Amino acid sequence: MIGVIADPSDFSVVQECFELFKTPWEFYREGQHYNVLLCSGDFDLREQDAQLVVIYGGAKARSDAAIAGSRASGKVSSRLLSYKGARLPLYFESFTFDDQSAGLLVDAESLRPAVHETRRNGTIVVWVGYDLFREVRHLLTIGQPAASASSPTLDLHIAFLRDVIRSAGISLIEIPPVPFGYRFIACLTHDVDHPFVRRHKFDHTMFGFLYRALIGSAIDLIRGRTSALNLLHNWLAALKLPFVHLGLAKDFWSSFERYNEIEGGSPSSFFIIPFRNTPGRTSDGLAPQIRGATYGASDVADQVRRLLAADCEVGLHGIDAWVDGGKGREELNEIRLITGARNIGVRMHWLYFDERSPVALESAGASYDSTVGYNETIGYRAGTSQVYKPLNATTILELPLHVMDTALFYPSHLHLSPKDAKARISEIIKNAVRHGGCVTVNWHDRSIAPERLWTVTYASLVKELRDNGAWFATASQATAWFRMRRSVTFAMNSDRSVRATLPTSSDERLPGLTLRKYRGGSGEPNDVVLTGELRRPLLACGRIELPLTGA
């Protein structure tokens, strides 16, 4: 069991941090023995009944470390650390130590260690040169700048703490963010922005299409960024355009149901705009008119029914829900009318979002949000691949967005070749295999149609996810699995063993949870399934309680 000492203003951050690092913990109680005592901020390090004390940040921690024999360097407002070769950016005051050994965590430039370890009366004391909970708060509210997008920073903070505990020879129990029988979750999503090319006449979308189909494709072919076959498809689509407007040819943008075929029947999620010609608002006033879509949910009702019949999910591509709970209810109700579903999730159009949005979406009745990501790059805005609860929310969960097609290929964004895009995507998949969690992908409705024709890259992405052991889930299923994981509670028994309590009301169709037992040191962990097949004979119990040892 981990006991946590933190400033009361950080309590919500502590609670969310340990929902992500799902291991037995509690706020410190006087007189209680803990395997690990985790302390943040300034406090007096007196005799503690713990095998390991981990101290994060603070001036007092620097002075205590100096007393223990390691001089701390001056503070730095931001810093890039290296953890097992991975980049771990810090966004607030931090310091390093003058130890000779590099250790687990070092400054990426100076190679000075950011960790100092000593022993005090039989207790291992580890000083870490930054404030963990301040860093976590920043990641879950403001998020990382695009320059640090490639780093799963919050997942690395958790992995580092796990390593510190294990290196001290202490056994650890955890429910990892990994569905039983799989290595991670893959969530394939599609924002439906332009389902009808015939709705665009003499507007910026039409002229942009013609330029990219006729001229941009030729330039991309010369530069080796597209194929001659794609160029031919785009030129033919441009020639066909007048016939589409006359109703004499099929609308080649109205084909987003094809995703089910490309995805091999795996379920995916489609986010639909509720009202046509409605640009909505920014935080300062009216949004640009070009944000208004030329369709509304009722215009794609037939396609939606076919998607639902194929076990796909349909959610809201919100307009004003991010700033106005009342408008959000209207938008969600429009999606409910065509789907018949009660629980509807949201991704905001153009990824509009701020720190107040979770409360607005929660008051609107959204079951989850999947907006937190980047328009201009791919990666980890919140520093994690896990579903999390925004700190100012009560019930709504955030499914962060990691990979978006337009960020990969638009000239104003990364502007990658298909080969380079595949390499960037592979890094995110490797991180998911390493840390668990969910890889959330957004491939827009028209991205498999002319003039984009990004079909090959998307098919390759789906194959790589499958080859690496992903569980393919809709956005609702992914968040439901994380809700099930979050519902597990731990408590300490009188004999100092730990008890896990698992509610049994969750969906049996979801993959099970795993209890992972780490022995102290570097040995391989043991996994035991906690839900799924084990749960079925115990459904009548109301809950399952398992006594655990070694925590």
Side-chain angles (χ1 to χ4, degrees):
M1 177 71 78
I2 299 174
V4 178
I5 298 175
D7 190 280
S9 64
D10 285 333
F11 279 7
S12 64
V13 185
V14 175
Q15 289 167 331
E16 188 56 29
C17 187
F18 280 98
E19 289 295 350
L20 303 180
F21 182 21
K22 194 70 178 180
T23 191
W25 77 282
E26 66 179 18
F27 288 113
Y28 174 77
R29 290 182 290 144
E30 192 75 35
Q32 179 65 57
H33 170 83
Y34 296 99
N35 302 84
V36 180
L37 187 62
L38 190 156
C39 314
S40 177
D42 295 332
F43 68 99
D44 291 324
L45 181 61
R46 52 191 183 276
E47 297 300 319
Q48 301 291 348
D49 187 13
Q51 296 171 250
L52 169 68
V53 176
V54 183
I55 305 167
Y56 279 93
K60 184 69 174 178
R62 287 200 297 275
S63 63
D64 280 342
I67 293 171
S70 181
R71 183 172 58 84
S73 69
K75 68 180 181 180
V76 175
S77 58
S78 63
R79 188 191 302 270
L80 180 64
L81 300 180
S82 176
Y83 166 64
K84 293 184 173 179
R87 294 161 49 92
L88 199 165
L90 300 178
Y91 299 101
F92 296 99
E93 173 187 343
S94 62
F95 52 92
T96 56
F97 302 93
D98 62 3
D99 301 55
Q100 296 300 313
S101 58
L104 278 174
L105 196 63
V106 299
D107 183 284
E109 184 175 345
S110 70
L111 300 183
R112 286 173 59 93
V115 181
H116 172 67
E117 178 180 323
T118 189
R119 289 183 178 269
R120 181 175 293 187
N121 297 327
T123 295
I124 300 172
V125 182
V126 175
W127 284 272
V128 185
Y130 61 87
D131 185 334
L132 172 63
F133 299 126
R134 191 178 186 191
E135 297 289 336
V136 171
R137 180 187 294 278
H138 178 80
L139 293 169
L140 296 183
T141 51
I142 305 301
Q144 302 192 112
S148 298
S150 63
S151 176
T153 306
L154 181 44
D155 296 336
L156 293 174
H157 283 306
I158 293 170
F160 167 71
L161 177 57
R162 182 189 300 113
D163 277 348
V164 169
I165 295 171
R166 296 189 67 198
S167 296
I170 297 173
S171 297
L172 182 70
I173 292 167
E174 179 185 9
I175 298 178
V178 180
F180 182 76
Y182 302 91
R183 302 174 80 179
F184 62 98
I185 302 171
C187 192
L188 307 176
T189 73
H190 313 287
D191 290 355
V192 179
D193 290 344
H194 304 96
F196 306 108
V197 72
R198 67 177 183 270
R199 295 282 181 94
H200 297 278
K201 299 176 182 177
F202 306 109
D203 61 9
H204 73 285
T205 299
M206 176 54 56
F207 292 125
F209 163 75
L210 288 172
Y211 172 80
R212 289 187 292 270
L214 296 173
I215 300 174
S217 293
I219 294 172
D220 283 345
L221 179 65
I222 293 170
R223 293 176 175 175
R225 302 174 65 89
T226 193
S227 66
L229 184 60
N230 277 358
L231 175 66
L232 179 61
H233 279 312
N234 283 336
W235 283 9
L236 289 175
L239 292 173
K240 190 188 297 183
L241 189 58
F243 300 97
V244 173
H245 282 297
L246 292 170
L248 300 176
K250 182 182 177 182
D251 192 321
F252 45 80
W253 280 6
S254 186
S255 59
F256 55 85
E257 304 102 309
R258 279 189 55 217
Y259 273 110
N260 196 246
E261 175 186 338
I262 298 169
E263 292 157 0
S266 297
S268 56
S269 301
F270 294 78
F271 294 98
I272 307 294
I273 288 174
F275 307 118
R276 73 172 72 95
N277 300 324
T278 307
R281 296 158 47 192
T282 68
S283 56
D284 299 320
L286 293 178
Q289 282 296 316
I290 60 173
R291 187 171 180 255
T294 58
Y295 85 102
S298 60
D299 298 318
V300 292
D302 289 342
Q303 291 98 316
V304 165
R305 281 189 282 270
R306 289 194 289 270
L307 292 173
L308 296 175
D311 293 328
C312 292
E313 174 196 10
V314 173
L316 168 67
H317 204 22
I319 302 171
D320 284 327
W322 71 291
V323 289
D324 188 327
K327 291 287 188 182
R329 283 189 289 276
E330 294 176 11
E331 296 173 12
L332 287 163
N333 285 336
E334 193 70 12
I335 305 302
R336 291 188 181 105
L337 283 175
I338 65 168
T339 63
R342 179 181 177 186
N343 295 319
I344 303 293
V346 176
R347 175 176 295 139
M348 293 307 304
H349 191 30
W350 285 16
L351 303 188
Y352 278 15
F353 205 79
D354 64 22
E355 290 183 57
R356 300 164 294 176
S357 296
V359 174
L361 294 173
E362 196 170 72
S363 68
S367 61
Y368 67 86
D369 177 71
S370 186
T371 304
V372 174
Y374 300 96
N375 280 301
E376 68 273 31
T377 189
I378 67 172
Y380 308 90
R381 188 175 193 123
T384 184
S385 59
Q386 291 198 49
V387 171
Y388 64 91
K389 184 176 74 65
L391 299 179
N392 58 348
T394 304
T395 58
I396 196 170
L397 296 183
E398 181 66 37
L399 173 68
L401 172 61
H402 303 107
V403 178
M404 187 159 69
D405 50 3
T406 51
L408 290 167
F409 296 121
Y410 266 15
S412 58
H413 298 329
L414 294 175
H415 199 206
L416 300 178
S417 68
K419 179 181 178 181
D420 290 339
K422 185 178 187 302
R424 291 288 293 269
I425 293 167
S426 293
E427 287 303 312
I428 289 179
I429 294 174
K430 288 176 184 176
N431 284 334
V433 171
R434 188 177 297 117
H435 301 293
C438 181
V439 175
T440 306
V441 177
N442 179 17
W443 222 256
H444 286 79
D445 59 317
R446 71 182 241 222
S447 292
I448 55 174
E451 83 292 355
R452 293 178 179 174
L453 295 173
W454 297 333
T455 315
V456 171
T457 301
Y458 184 67
S460 172
L461 182 160
V462 173
K463 182 178 185 300
E464 188 171 0
L465 290 167
R466 184 170 285 115
D467 289 347
N468 278 277
W471 171 50
F472 287 87
T474 65
S476 286
Q477 290 169 336
T479 52
W481 187 87
F482 273 94
R483 283 190 191 278
M484 179 172 67
R485 177 174 176 256
R486 294 171 69 91
S487 71
V488 178
T489 59
F490 297 103
M492 188 179 292
N493 297 318
S494 58
D495 62 357
R496 291 169 55 178
S497 65
V498 175
R499 181 175 68 255
T501 301
L502 294 77
T504 58
S505 58
S506 51
D507 191 342
E508 287 187 73
R509 294 171 294 182
L510 299 174
L513 302 172
T514 300
L515 177 70
R516 180 162 294 171
K517 290 184 170 185
Y518 296 94
R519 297 183 180 88
S522 59
E524 289 298 313
N526 294 325
D527 286 354
V528 178
V529 62
L530 292 186
T531 58
E533 293 299 325
L534 175 65
R535 186 178 56 187
R536 288 197 176 97
L538 300 171
L539 288 176
C541 299
R543 65 181 185 177
I544 303 169
E545 293 190 358
L546 298 176
L548 311 173
T549 58

